[in-house]
Amino acid sequence: MVSTASDRHPTQPHLEPAYTETLPCTPESAPTARRLIRQALGAWALDALADDACLIANEMVANACRHTRSPLIRVSVTRLDGTRLEIAVTDRSRALPVRKPASPASPDALGGRGLVLVEAIAARWGADPKRWGKRVWAEVRAA
């Protein structure tokens, strides 16, 4: 489910400050993004969400690298409350992401599944347009 900026954040304050890092917009930044997320989730005792959160971050970093000309990206993970967190990747491209329908005709295709995976794993996701680019985010919840 794609959500808009106006309906995603609760009125409750965040329990913890966000963990953020600015990285080169290259595929080699994905492991650093995953380490950042694992560090934050360890600090918040939400380790059970790490695999899903890291997969989402990996796909969002890959999409930014594949579809933007942005030299840098900003990866952040924010604890929204005791059971929810938000993963976000910010870049300088104004082009909003578009989820392509899953194609059963090409199961061996190497690409095109990023946002399908994000949508399948995340409680919700979306993109916030900015004057200078966009911020793509996904919310992960504990079961």
Side-chain angles (χ1 to χ4, degrees), residues 51-72:
D51 289 343
D52 286 349
C54 286
L55 180 56
I56 287 170
N58 202 69
E59 293 302 327
M60 290 170 44
V61 168
N63 280 347
C65 294
R66 189 173 297 119
H67 300 292
T68 75
R69 293 182 181 206
S70 191
L72 299 172

Side-chain angles (χ1 to χ4, degrees), residues 57-113:
N58 202 69
E59 293 302 327
M60 290 170 44
V61 168
N63 280 347
C65 294
R66 189 173 297 119
H67 300 292
T68 75
R69 293 182 181 206
S70 191
L72 299 172
I73 57 173
R74 183 133 184 107
V75 177
S76 64
V77 56
T78 305
R79 185 176 177 189
L80 300 175
D81 62 27
T83 62
R84 297 180 309 135
L85 62 105
E86 180 188 79
I87 313 296
V89 174
T90 304
D91 63 57
R92 294 237 178 234
S93 171
R94 290 185 184 162
L96 296 176
V98 176
R99 182 180 113 15
K100 297 176 184 174
S103 174
S106 59
D108 296 332
L110 296 176
R113 292 185 184 88

